Amino acid sequence: PHLTVARMHAAASAEDRKKAGETLLSLPWEPGISVSVYSFKLIESTLTPSGPIYRSLHTVPLSLPLTTP
């Protein structure tokens, strides 16, 4: 699963980008849903007429892999 935090058109102005960031920071993020997260990936998505193209830019592992005894 993934979470798209924001998507801006390449031609978006600096002011529009700033407003989007301020809006995201002002949202009430509610606790209560537990999700295990083992890594964080920064992914670039390029929208095309035939669908999005995803490219992994960087991965940060957050914990050691689970092992079974």
Side-chain angles (χ1 to χ4, degrees), residues 3-8 20 24:
L3 171 67
T4 299
V5 177
R7 181 172 281 151
M8 301 288 294
L24 283 170

Side-chain angles (χ1 to χ4, degrees), residues 2-67:
H2 76 277
L3 171 67
T4 299
V5 177
R7 181 172 281 151
M8 301 288 294
H9 192 278
S13 69
E15 182 179 339
D16 287 340
R17 292 174 188 274
K18 182 179 178 186
K19 285 180 185 176
E22 290 170 350
T23 299
L24 283 170
L25 291 173
S26 72
L27 293 173
W29 299 94
E30 298 286 333
I33 298 175
S34 178
V35 177
S36 297
V37 178
Y38 302 102
S39 66
F40 175 84
K41 291 185 179 189
L42 179 62
I43 298 177
E44 174 184 63
S45 62
T46 304
L47 301 179
T48 70
S50 60
I53 298 171
Y54 299 104
R55 184 171 71 115
S56 181
L57 301 177
H58 191 72
T59 300
V60 178
L62 300 177
S63 65
L64 297 174
L66 296 177
T67 58

